[in-house]
Amino acid sequence: NPVSLVLGGCKITMAYFGQFSHKSAHTHSTHQPAIAKTLQKAGIMVSNKDHASHHKEPYDEDFCLIGLCNPIIDGLRHYVTTNNNAWLAFFFALSIFDLMIYSTAVSYIAELI
């Protein structure tokens, strides 16, 4: 299925981006590549300061490595549940079934168009 292949490529790209973002969040700005500084300033990647707050008690905010998502996840955590096991199960399931869900959704939308 070509849709699944494209979505799989996007997933691998985002996994790499997440690792790059995390590494950059732990790298002093004098040693960061220019692209990391630019993406951090734009809020696309989490900044060193925001990520550092994730490593301090009570360890309950700023989990995302994509800076744009931190307010969303922090809000959901505040309003939906603070149960770490529930979030672990949710993200684990999403990691396993995401391509199947996205591929089905894209195929369904393509049929409508």
Side-chain angles (χ1 to χ4, degrees), residues 5-81:
L5 290 174
V6 170
L7 292 172
C10 290
K11 183 175 181 172
I12 290 169
T13 301
M14 289 306 295
Y16 176 79
F17 180 75
Q19 292 299 317
F20 177 71
S21 181
H22 192 230
K23 177 185 180 286
S24 298
H26 284 277
T27 302
H28 192 275
S29 61
T30 57
H31 298 292
Q32 287 179 337
I35 188 72
K37 292 177 189 177
T38 302
L39 292 173
Q40 284 181 335
K41 285 181 185 174
I44 296 170
M45 282 178 26
V46 69
S47 70
N48 297 48
K49 180 183 174 189
D50 287 343
H51 187 64
S53 71
H54 160 76
H55 289 284
K56 295 178 183 162
E57 290 187 19
Y59 309 109
D60 62 351
E61 62 182 14
D62 296 329
F63 293 100
C64 295
L65 299 172
I66 300 171
L68 301 169
C69 295
N70 263 330
I72 297 166
I73 297 299
D74 288 347
L76 286 171
R77 217 174 121 63
H78 178 73
Y79 291 107
V80 176
T81 182

Side-chain angles (χ1 to χ4, degrees), residues 91-104:
F91 284 117
F92 182 72
L94 191 60
S95 295
I96 294 172
F97 299 111
D98 60 344
L99 290 180
M100 182 180 71
I101 294 167
Y102 298 147
S103 181
T104 303

